[in-house]
Amino acid sequence: VLFRSVSQSRYFPELEGILRVSPVHMQTTMTLFLVVYGIGQLVWGAAADLYTRRATLIVSLSIAIVGLLIVVFAFNFQQFLAGRLVEAFGVASTPVLARTILGDQFEDHALSVAMVYIVSLAALLPGISPFIGLAIYDVTHTWRALFVFLILVGILTLVATWAIVRQPLQRNTKDSILKVITGYVTLCGNREFFPYLLIYGSMLGLLINFYIIAPYIFMQYLYLSHTEYGWCVFCVGLCYFFGALCTRMLLKYLSSESVLLIGMSIILLSVCLLLIAWIFLTFSLWAMEIHLVFFAFGCGLLSPAANSIAINSVAEKGRASALTAAIVMCVAGGFSAVMMVLPLDRLGSIIVTGK
């Protein structure tokens, strides 16, 4: 999450001038990043079931570091894009392996509680990443320093993986590529798995898309300062974080299915509030922010519940985790592609003037 969030923080609108490309080019970069990120998770999920978790993490993190090095030394848009795509493919393993290793260690209610902690951490990082990016940029005055920071994080993670992760399980390495693909198709037809996958993937994909377009909406079209933008995003991430923490308390008294329904109800409420503001009141930045905090809180509630239900329902936890994360990225990438053709300047005008 830190790789994706910090590397898509406040510098993106400014890079358009540095690399001499249009906003469409930079949004294309983000869309392609998500597509490769999603495809990479399918690859690493299969690798996690075929080989050891530890080996998969080491190889994928090494690839991510290579991609970051390409970005750091990029002097044109083509080099920048190539490095970002290599980075996306490598770092795609991290959410997959995190869920897979948790699935190896926990089951049922214990897995739901464990998911709360990983979802809570993942929720905070997009919220604080603008401040991290701002601090690094203000000290160094170069966007390349952001990627140098991520290289250091990648190296530390690689060393920690080498020293800490001990996954002795060796899966069936004789599976063919066709069997791997068939396994993903079978998972899509699993009625105990796929509905929860769609719920989680759709809601979280929408939230991730918000983080992607937030720099453009808040800074470029609403003319907020970097600090104001950071606080807007932080509030959304904080609500997601509190939603995940509430899940842990609710699971003491309710089933995962019940918590999931509560989360979906809150998300529906957020949509209703947005429509009321749009139709009957003045649509403003505050109306959009209120909608987002309710939406994020609902996502925080349903994410651990939907994750644990889906992963508990199948034996191939690596591939199940990969397919879950891939759906999230496909939804985010799809909405990002749609946003490329929408008049964001018009949206900014509506939010500012209410017309």
Side-chain angles (χ1 to χ4, degrees), residues 107-130:
E107 293 182 358
D108 302 325
H109 181 268
L111 179 59
S112 297
V113 174
M115 282 293 182
V116 167
Y117 293 108
I118 192 171
V119 166
S120 299
L121 180 61
L124 275 181
L125 289 176
I128 65 175
S129 63

Side-chain angles (χ1 to χ4, degrees), residues 34-310:
L34 292 175
V35 171
V36 174
Y37 192 76
I39 294 173
Q41 291 181 72
L42 296 176
V43 174
W44 298 121
D49 281 338
L50 298 177
Y51 307 101
T52 65
R53 319 299 198 212
R54 184 170 180 262
T56 303
L57 267 175
I58 290 172
V59 172
S60 60
L61 287 172
S62 300
I63 292 173
I65 292 171
V66 170
L68 288 166
L69 286 170
I70 295 173
V71 172
V72 168
F73 293 102
F75 289 97
N76 56 52
F77 176 73
Q78 289 74 21
Q79 295 170 355
F80 177 83
L81 178 60
R84 289 285 287 163
L85 297 185
V86 174
E87 175 203 351
F89 181 74
V91 80
S93 71
T94 51
V96 175
L97 270 295
R99 293 186 184 89
T100 304
I101 293 173
L102 283 180
D104 292 335
Q105 303 297 322
F106 304 101
E107 293 182 358
D108 302 325
H109 181 268
L111 179 59
S112 297
V113 174
M115 282 293 182
V116 167
Y117 293 108
I118 192 171
V119 166
S120 299
L121 180 61
L124 275 181
L125 289 176
I128 65 175
S129 63
F131 296 104
I132 296 175
L134 179 62
I136 295 173
Y137 193 89
D138 286 346
V139 171
T140 62
H141 303 291
T142 173
W143 60 269
R144 299 180 194 273
L146 299 175
F147 292 96
V148 172
F149 168 74
L150 291 178
I151 289 173
L152 296 177
V153 172
I155 292 173
L156 289 175
T157 307
L158 188 59
V159 171
T161 300
W162 185 277
I164 298 173
V165 177
R166 298 292 182 219
Q167 174 50 266
L169 294 178
Q170 184 77 19
R171 303 299 185 185
N172 180 14
T173 57
K174 295 182 180 180
D175 281 357
S176 64
I177 296 177
L178 180 60
K179 190 171 183 179
V180 170
I181 296 174
T182 303
Y184 282 125
V185 174
T186 302
L187 284 174
C188 291
N190 188 327
R191 295 184 179 181
E192 295 181 357
F193 169 78
F194 198 67
Y196 297 102
L197 166 65
L198 283 181
I199 293 171
Y200 170 74
S202 300
M203 296 301 101
L204 193 60
L206 284 170
L207 190 61
I208 289 174
N209 187 63
F210 158 73
Y211 286 122
I212 292 171
I213 66 172
Y216 289 93
I217 292 179
F218 287 117
M219 292 194 298
Q220 191 164 337
Y221 297 118
L222 299 183
Y223 306 107
L224 298 185
S225 68
H226 300 310
T227 303
E228 290 170 332
Y229 153 71
W231 280 112
C232 287
V233 175
F234 177 74
C235 288
V236 175
L238 194 63
C239 288
Y240 189 98
F241 173 75
F242 281 128
L245 289 184
C246 287
T247 298
R248 184 178 185 278
M249 293 185 289
L250 290 173
L251 286 172
K252 295 179 181 179
Y253 310 101
L254 302 172
S255 66
S256 296
E257 288 81 0
S258 298
V259 175
L260 181 65
L261 287 175
I262 294 173
M264 292 179 64
S265 299
I266 294 175
I267 290 174
L268 181 61
L269 174 63
S270 74
V271 175
C272 292
L273 290 174
L274 185 67
L275 290 176
I276 291 172
W278 183 282
I279 297 172
F280 300 105
L281 304 173
T282 300
F283 189 70
S284 64
L285 175 62
W286 283 108
M288 185 174 69
E289 188 71 11
I290 290 172
H291 157 71
L292 287 170
V293 296
F294 272 95
F295 184 87
F297 184 79
C299 284
L301 281 175
L302 71 81
S303 292
N307 254 305
S308 60
I309 294 171

